[in-house]
Amino acid sequence: TDGGSGGGGGGGGDELITVGFAQTGSESGWRSANTESLKTALSEENGFKLVFNAADNKQEAQIAAVRSFINQGVDAIVIAPITVDGWDDVLKEAKDAGIPVILEDRTVSASDDLYASWVGLDFEKEGELAGQWAVENADGSNLVVLEGTTGSSAALDRATGWSKALEGSTIKTLDSQTGDFTRDGGKKVMEGFLQKYGSDINLLFAHNDDMGLGALDAIEAAGLVPGQDIKIVTIDAVHDGMQALADGKFSFIVECNPLLGEKVADLVKKVLAGESVDKRTIVEDQTFTQDQAKEALPTRPY
Ligand code: GYE
C-alpha cells in the first residue's frame, strides 16, 4: 500500500511533529476513508504525533477543537472545515500564536492569508459533471435533490456546478433539501419527497453516495425501482456507492477522492520547514458509469 511511505524526514527518534487535526465528524463513507488516510499519513512512523478531533458536524465544536489545539501549542493545525463561514477569528488566533493551518477537503470564506495552504477537490466541477450526465441521459425528468450539509463548500459548489450544467435543459426541479451528507438524512428526506410527489419523481441528484444509499431504502419501500423508475446520480464513489452503481441501482457517480493524507503530511512538513507551498492544490476526480463501476470495484482502495 501507499500507507507507510510518508514523504521523507521525521521519525528516526527525532522530535515528532505535533499536528492537531479537526475533522468534521463521521457522517459518510467518504469521511471514514478521509480520516483513515490522514491518520495513516500523520502517524508516528512518518514523524508525527496526531491529536485527532471529530466534531460531529457541529461548527462550534470544531472551532472549540481548533482553539484547544492552539492552547496545547501544537506545531501545526489541519482542518476539514464543516462550513465555509465563521473561521476568521480562530484562524487569526492561530496566526497570532504562530501556528500554521493547513485546510483539507472543504474551503472557507476567510481571507487566504489566514492559512498556509488548502488541498482538496473541485466540487463545482463534480456538480457540473453530474449535471452534464443528467442532461444527456435524463432530460425532461422531474428532479429532486438531496443537498449536503448546509453552508459547506461541498454542498454550495456542487449545487452551483449542477445548476450550471442544467441551464437550458428541460429538467424540472420539484424539490431540494439537505440530508446533511448522511444515510439517515437521505432516507428521511427522500421519504418526504415520495410522500409529496410520489411516482412523479424520476431523477434524484444526491450530493453524496451515502444520502443516495439512504434514499434507496425509501424508494424500494415505496415500491419503486431505483435505476428504472428513478435514476440516481451521486458524488463520491465510495465502495457501497460503487456497489449500488454496479448493481444498476445508481445510474452515475462522480468521484471525489478522499485520500488526501499524504498530500496534507507533505504540506505540513514543507510549511514547518519554511519552504514555499502552493496556496491551492486540487486533486483530480473521475466519473463512473454502471459498466465502469463493475470494472473498477475489485481494485478500489476504499
Ligand atoms: O462528499 C461527503 C462528506 O466534503 C467532499 O463530505 C466532502 C464531502 C463528501 O461527508 O460524503
Side-chain angles (χ1 to χ4, degrees), residues 179-195:
D180 221 3
F181 279 134
T182 65
R183 278 192 201 206
D184 229 40
K187 184 176 175 199
K188 290 204 180 99
V189 176
M190 192 65 198
E191 281 167 356
F193 287 162
L194 285 162
Q195 266 164 29

Side-chain angles (χ1 to χ4, degrees), residues 15-33:
E15 283 247 329
L16 298 173
I17 298 169
T18 303
V19 176
F21 173 33
Q23 178 60 289
T24 58
S26 50
E27 70 279 1
S28 68
W30 190 97
R31 192 59 56 193
S32 310

Side-chain angles (χ1 to χ4, degrees), residues 20 25 47 50 78 86 89 102 108 125 129 142 147 160 206 221 255 265 269 276:
L50 176 63
V78 177
D89 289 349
I102 312 290
V108 295
K125 188 171 164 203
L129 290 170
N142 290 322
E147 302 160 16
T160 302
E255 183 188 44
K269 282 187 175 163
S276 75

Side-chain angles (χ1 to χ4, degrees), residues 148-161:
T149 299
T150 305
S152 69
S153 70
L156 291 164
D157 296 352
R158 285 171 183 171
T160 302

Side-chain angles (χ1 to χ4, degrees), residues 24-80:
T24 58
S26 50
E27 70 279 1
S28 68
W30 190 97
R31 192 59 56 193
S32 310
N34 179 249
T35 295
E36 211 34 56
S37 171
L38 267 85
K39 282 187 173 171
T40 304
L42 297 174
S43 63
E44 290 200 9
E45 300 96 81
N46 292 336
F48 296 96
K49 182 175 183 305
L50 176 63
V51 189
F52 178 77
N53 181 277
D56 199 21
N57 276 304
K58 298 194 175 67
Q59 169 96 343
E60 319 82 69
Q62 196 177 32
I63 289 172
V66 173
R67 260 196 195 113
S68 122
F69 295 152
I70 297 170
N71 290 335
Q72 288 168 53
V74 297
D75 298 315
I77 295 173
V78 177
I79 310 173

Side-chain angles (χ1 to χ4, degrees), residues 12 72 78 87 119 154 156 190 291-292 302:
Q72 288 168 53
V78 177
W87 289 101
V119 56
L156 291 164
M190 192 65 198
D291 285 341
Q292 288 167 332
Y302 57 91

